[in-house]
Amino acid sequence: MTTTSETGLILIVDDNPTNLSVLSAALSSAGFKFRVAVNGESAIAQVDRNPPELILLDVQMPGIDGFETYRRLKANPDSQNIPIIFTTALVDTDSKNKGFSLGAVDYIPKPFSQEEVIARVRVHLQLKRLTESLEQQLSDRTIALQQAQIQLVQQEKLSTLGELIAGVAHEINNPISFISSNIAHLEEHIAAITEILRLYQQEYLHPSDQITDASEELDLEFALQDIVKIIDSFKLGTDRLRNLSLSLRNFSRADVDTKQPADLHQGLDSTLLILQHRLKSVGDRPCIEVAKSYGQLPEVNCYPGQINQVFMNILANAIDAIDEAMMHGKMSASVPQIQITTDIDAQKYANIRIADNGMGIPDLIQERLFEPLFTTKPVGKGTGLGLSIAHQIIVEKHNGTLAVNSQPGQGTEFTIKIPTKD
């Protein structure tokens, strides 16, 4: 018989020395590696220590028989996928039927033919490996489809959000620029008119009763002073709107193709400004305090729009966690708070830590937090893609890390680490 090099380990389970000798000789001649067990208990123990690729299992054995050994092996997740071939006498039809009903992949009849043993073993090893290969391909395809879905959702969200915010910023910027550019002229005109009124008052010390009554009804002195204050409030309002417009444009930077240096603090501040309405007090919940402790960060070479999307997702989740904690009376402190800390470590990674004192996250949920489509929010409240996309942006797009540390009832902290240089 031609000897070939075979991979994988086969376990022979039989209490009969003659059967063991025949099977061992057959497998050895074909180049298979094998081990031997003389009863079911020994077989189970060996499988636990070093799982084989295939098992040849005798039906009739002392102690636990082959069927019970089969049940125990299949009940164990570590051994349930190992193919098992029963060996029994050719005339034992009942045992064959029972074995097939349990799920055995094949039977080898006694007395053994070496050629048949080798042929059946090779066939089932090949089937096992093909099955594993197909399962791996299916798993790879599933992961690839999930990644493609995440990419599509991310691109769609960035595109839609970017267009919306850029459009709003543009619409705000035009009228604000018009108002702002005319405030200075308005100041000059009002100052000139005020000066003319002062001159009239100096020249005409005794105005008519009609002018006197109109001046008293208007309270001219107060009006002239108040106009100056109104102009100052216009300046303040337009400055705030201009900053909001700038923040919207910074947040929506559609730079998906190339990395560029960016100020992460500016991205955080822009995101906080956009979320300002959610930080204000609502009902019984007081306003959420944002404590910022910014270190000295260099500009980071990144995709700023995508990084801002990560900030938005984590900060919005922090606000949700605080709202939920307030709703259920489980705040870890009397004042709702989000803490943002930044620094740079010895490995030149920019570290951004965003912590809240909300509900916290149980360990079982933390383990799945970055899985695609996993969400704990009610139907219609979340897609389960936000943190998955954030993880992909930080890890795959920026070669960084995104980690979570949380204790139920004590709040949650997300830590983002991004290399400052490629």
Side-chain angles (χ1 to χ4, degrees):
M1 183 176 296
T2 303
T3 301
T4 59
S5 177
E6 299 285 354
T7 60
L9 182 67
I10 298 170
L11 178 62
I12 306 170
V13 187
D14 201 311
D15 65 316
N16 188 304
T18 302
N19 293 336
L20 290 174
S21 176
V22 174
L23 291 172
S24 297
L27 296 177
S28 180
S29 66
F32 286 105
K33 299 177 183 178
F34 62 89
R35 293 199 314 268
V36 171
V38 296
N39 54 52
E41 292 88 344
S42 175
I44 293 170
Q46 289 196 47
V47 171
D48 285 340
R49 288 195 301 271
N50 187 12
E53 271 205 272
L54 184 142
I55 300 173
L56 297 174
L57 179 60
D58 186 26
V59 171
Q60 299 296 330
M61 292 185 298
I64 61 172
D65 63 11
F67 297 128
E68 180 59 28
T69 302
Y70 179 94
R71 291 189 187 95
R72 295 188 186 183
L73 290 171
K74 291 301 178 180
N76 184 346
D78 294 331
S79 58
Q80 64 183 3
N81 293 324
I82 300 174
I84 297 177
I85 300 176
F86 278 120
T87 60
T88 188
L90 182 62
V91 295
D92 192 0
T93 305
D94 291 340
S95 293
K96 289 183 180 180
N97 293 335
K98 185 176 181 179
F100 280 126
S101 66
L102 287 174
V105 297
D106 203 353
Y107 261 100
I108 298 178
K110 301 176 184 177
F112 299 120
S113 162
Q114 287 196 2
E115 289 81 2
E116 183 177 5
V117 169
I118 294 169
R120 290 180 185 268
V121 166
R122 280 180 173 157
V123 165
H124 288 291
L125 282 176
Q126 186 177 14
L127 286 173
K128 178 177 183 292
R129 290 162 187 167
L130 286 172
T131 300
E132 289 174 346
S133 175
L134 288 172
E135 289 175 348
Q136 184 60 49
Q137 290 180 39
L138 179 60
S139 176
D140 293 342
R141 292 284 179 86
T142 301
I143 293 172
L145 286 172
Q146 287 180 339
Q147 294 298 328
Q149 182 187 29
I150 292 172
Q151 289 276 11
L152 289 172
V153 172
Q154 177 190 344
Q155 291 171 5
E156 184 65 24
K157 287 177 70 175
L158 277 176
S159 175
T160 303
L161 186 62
E163 290 176 5
L164 174 63
I165 291 179
V168 171
H170 178 73
E171 292 302 320
I172 291 175
N173 196 55
N174 283 344
I176 289 304
S177 297
F178 172 78
I179 294 171
S180 178
S181 62
N182 283 287
I183 285 178
H185 300 301
L186 182 60
E187 276 187 304
E188 293 175 3
H189 296 331
I190 290 174
I193 292 171
T194 301
E195 181 60 25
I196 291 173
L197 286 173
R198 298 294 184 197
L199 292 173
Y200 267 104
Q201 288 176 330
Q202 292 173 11
E203 293 288 334
Y204 297 95
L205 298 177
H206 303 289
S208 66
D209 292 341
Q210 185 177 3
I211 292 176
T212 300
D213 291 342
S215 297
E216 290 176 353
E217 184 177 351
L218 174 63
D219 193 349
L220 183 59
E221 292 299 324
F222 170 80
L224 291 175
Q225 294 173 10
D226 198 42
I227 286 173
V228 176
K229 294 178 182 178
I230 291 172
I231 295 296
D232 288 340
S233 69
F234 282 175
K235 288 181 179 178
L236 180 62
T238 53
D239 286 343
R240 291 183 65 179
L241 283 171
R242 190 182 292 108
N243 289 335
L244 175 60
S245 177
L246 179 62
S247 295
L248 290 172
R249 290 200 303 273
N250 286 336
F251 181 85
S252 64
R253 291 164 70 175
D255 49 352
V256 295
D257 294 328
T258 58
K259 290 183 177 180
Q260 56 185 265
D263 183 347
L264 297 184
H265 292 155
Q266 185 184 73
L268 284 164
D269 291 339
S270 298
T271 307
L272 286 170
L273 188 59
I274 293 170
L275 289 171
Q276 189 64 42
H277 69 287
R278 294 201 60 197
L279 298 170
K280 295 178 179 179
S281 60
V282 179
D284 295 333
R285 193 211 77 190
C287 68
I288 299 174
E289 293 183 359
V290 178
K292 294 188 288 188
S293 179
Y294 289 171
Q296 295 293 324
L297 290 185
E299 287 193 332
V300 174
N301 204 35
C302 64
Y303 300 103
Q306 295 185 22
I307 293 294
N308 290 342
Q309 185 186 5
V310 174
F311 294 157
M312 173 67 76
N313 189 273
I314 294 176
L315 287 166
N317 281 346
I319 296 171
D320 289 341
I322 289 173
D323 285 342
E324 187 178 359
M326 291 292 295
M327 186 185 304
H328 294 90
K330 296 182 179 180
M331 279 293 298
S332 61
S334 58
V335 178
Q337 187 179 74
I338 294 174
Q339 293 182 324
I340 305 176
T341 307
T342 66
D343 58 44
I344 188 166
D345 60 25
Q347 287 73 41
K348 302 301 181 182
Y349 274 73
N351 301 316
I352 304 98
R353 290 182 289 277
I354 301 175
D356 65 71
N357 58 354
M359 287 284 288
I361 306 171
D363 291 340
L364 291 177
I365 294 178
Q366 286 187 56
E367 294 174 0
R368 303 187 61 193
L369 209 56
F370 301 121
E371 289 183 13
L373 305 179
F374 176 76
T375 180
T376 59
K377 295 180 180 179
V379 175
K381 295 291 185 179
T383 62
L385 289 172
L387 285 176
S388 175
I389 290 174
H391 187 268
Q392 185 184 67
I393 289 172
I394 297 299
V395 176
E396 297 183 16
K397 297 290 186 69
H398 294 86
N399 298 317
T401 62
L402 174 59
V404 59
N405 181 32
S406 180
Q407 293 293 330
Q410 299 298 317
T412 301
E413 180 180 77
F414 283 90
T415 301
I416 302 167
K417 295 174 72 72
I418 306 173
T420 54
K421 296 181 180 179
D422 290 336

